Amino acid sequence: MEQTENATIIDSSSTTNINGKPSTSDDINDLTAQLERSANRAELIQSTEKGSTSAKNPVYVEWYGINYSISTEHKESWSNKFENSGSKLGSGKNLRTIIENVHGCANPGEVLAIMGPSGCGKTTLLNLLGDRVGSKGVQGTLTLNGHKPTKISKKFIAYCTQDDMFFPQLTVKETLSFTARLRLPREMSRHDKLKQVENTMTLLNLTKCANTTVGDQRTRGISGGERKRTNIASELLTNPSVILLDEPTTGLDSTLALELAKILKEFAVKQKKTIIMVIHQPSTQVFDSFDKLMLMADGQMVYFGERADVVDYLADQGFKCHPNFNPSDYIMELLNDNTIKQKLINAYAHKVRDDPTGKQVIEKHSRRSHTDNQLDNIILNAPVTTGRRWEATFLQQISVLTERTFKQSRKVILSRINVYYIIALTVISLIVWFRIPFAESNINDRIGNIYFNSLFWSFYPMIGAISTFPLDLIMLSKERQSRSYRLLSYYLSKQIAELPLVILSPMVYSIPVYWVSNLLPDFGRFVAYLVVILIGTLTSQSFGYFFGATLSNVQKSMAICVVFLFAFILLSGYFVKHLPTGITWMKYLSFMKYFYSLLMQTQFDSSKAQFKCAGPGTLPTGQKSVCDTGNMTSISGISILDGEGLNDLPWYINLIVLSGFCIVLRILAYYSLRKNSSRSKK
């Protein structure tokens, strides 16, 4: 029957087009392509309908009496404070109302569009519906199937933000695949999850850019329109019951915008999804795809009801839309006129004067309350919940997140500029410290080599780790709000994935520098030296993690980190060997003291560490040889350690303390991240 109807359409369009003129072969080809896309779209949506959560558990979203205010600080000059010292109206916090007495509802199988001028509170309302604002300053009632939202119910709600957030080094396919493996039901096989990714990419026309990196401002990647569709795809493939979209057609041309509107409409109808979107100024065809419409201005209601009735409603208020004019353009034209806007706000307020919270309006438009069937009534009022908190198990979360983090961090930590940086520094070090002799005149050169290595591998990893959590915090908050994984899974996967990447650079540098610099030619001592370098590197990274996770700001973390680092350097025992009386204990707060002491002990606390006494004329003028004070032919490494004041603690104590710094700081970083990620959700 459907094929016959399609054939009829094609036959009729082969004679005339919509303007009554004879159609060309291009018109027929375009129509055929449209019908083919429509058939493919229906088939792909149908393929995911069987396991659709929303088809089995439809969700009715209702809200009424919603008010939202934020506090703004009012600052006064010192002179005004003095003048108003006896007044209670001094500086303080004022409340600014963002949304006032807003109500509405969205039914499964329908698309609700929220429209209004910029700054009218549309996105704020969407954030409230998605429970992304918290409870502070919020009044009113929001229900899912008549019940208050819970943490578990967030799993059924997808939120596509206006600002697309991705890991820039991953491809489109990788981005969607990791999302599917984390958020699709654990009963699904990996093959089925990846198949759903392929279907979703085909549905949103992302197949051509599947293997292209997403990119960001610094890394070239997919286009803005492709980013928008990838953002929507990442939410659609998780099969949510409620989909919230903020400006989903931004960056799309008219054809793609219409195609997206059709896809969302078919998802709503065939899988009983509840779709709510904020949209600014849609085309006529996109506007006609909406079921219900909500108009806002200055945070207040202008209209709520059927989209098809809005033109008549405006005409009743004295604003008749021309038949050939796009209704959405006409609406925006009215709402951008201050006089007309205020008149429409007053008209709607008068309409619901007997129902200030809008509860009666919701009962009128919500299909949840319009059933007499007892079984249907039980289903429609069932709480939105599930038996498990996360779809992926704890080990699955760690596995997937480790793989994702490794792919993302590999291209950052081992970027071309970082690789060139390490290679250049290695070459310079090889030239400067080439084959240092075991002689008294070169002891300071040897100590300088060791201290530089401890200094560099205390500075470089710390600075690199500072930005890790602040840059991930927004993405982390987004994914955790959708109940994708535990915070502990994310944190452990970060440690596991970045471990081989972080230790690679010091190994590439230290192995050639050790042997070419002619440090102690003993393989056991070389292994010990390399292990200490790696532990010191990880400890330095731990400080970067801690500062970044605690302050959640790259610039602030960098400033604090540099201050602490210079303090650690001064207390390490290289520049100042004898601290003033009363503050000698402070050197034990510097992790660099233990790092530097350990490296020195691996090289000088050995019977093989013997340095030939300087002969006449080999030392700088005025400097006497240590051997002149006794009958010696060589200087032992132990005596050098004692002279440097680095033998006050045995090597195993230094190792335990340095390792303790590394472990404790990572634990503290986790709790700081937990605190800040919880705060970002409020």
Side-chain angles (χ1 to χ4, degrees), residues 610 613 625-636:
Q610 299 292 329
C613 291
S625 171
V626 177
C627 300
D628 292 344
T629 59
N631 188 17
M632 296 186 297
T633 58
S634 64
I635 304 171
S636 67

Side-chain angles (χ1 to χ4, degrees), residues 39-56:
N40 291 337
R41 183 172 64 243
E43 183 179 349
L44 288 171
I45 294 174
Q46 190 74 25
S47 67
T48 61
E49 185 175 356
K50 184 178 180 181
S52 174
T53 304
S54 54
K56 301 174 184 176

Side-chain angles (χ1 to χ4, degrees), residues 31 149 216 376 382 386 419 430 494 591:
L31 183 57
D216 55 11
D376 288 345
T386 182
V419 171
L430 294 177
K494 199 80 173 175
F591 84 98

Side-chain angles (χ1 to χ4, degrees), residues 96-155:
R96 178 189 169 198
T97 301
I98 306 298
I99 288 177
E100 183 177 357
N101 288 332
V102 172
H103 55 261
C105 65
N107 299 311
E110 293 182 349
V111 177
L112 166 66
I114 304 174
M115 291 178 57
S118 298
C120 71
K122 304 186 300 293
T123 299
T124 301
L125 175 60
L126 205 67
N127 288 333
L128 287 168
L129 299 181
D131 196 18
R132 305 265 171 141
V133 175
S135 58
K136 187 176 181 180
V138 180
Q139 295 177 333
T141 303
L142 168 65
T143 64
L144 305 177
N145 288 354
H147 300 270
K148 290 185 177 181
T150 63
K151 289 183 178 181
I152 300 297
S153 65
K154 287 185 179 182
K155 289 180 59 177

Side-chain angles (χ1 to χ4, degrees), residues 237-248:
L237 70 85
T238 60
N239 198 13
S241 296
V242 180
I243 305 176
L244 308 177
L245 304 105
D246 191 6
E247 301 283 1

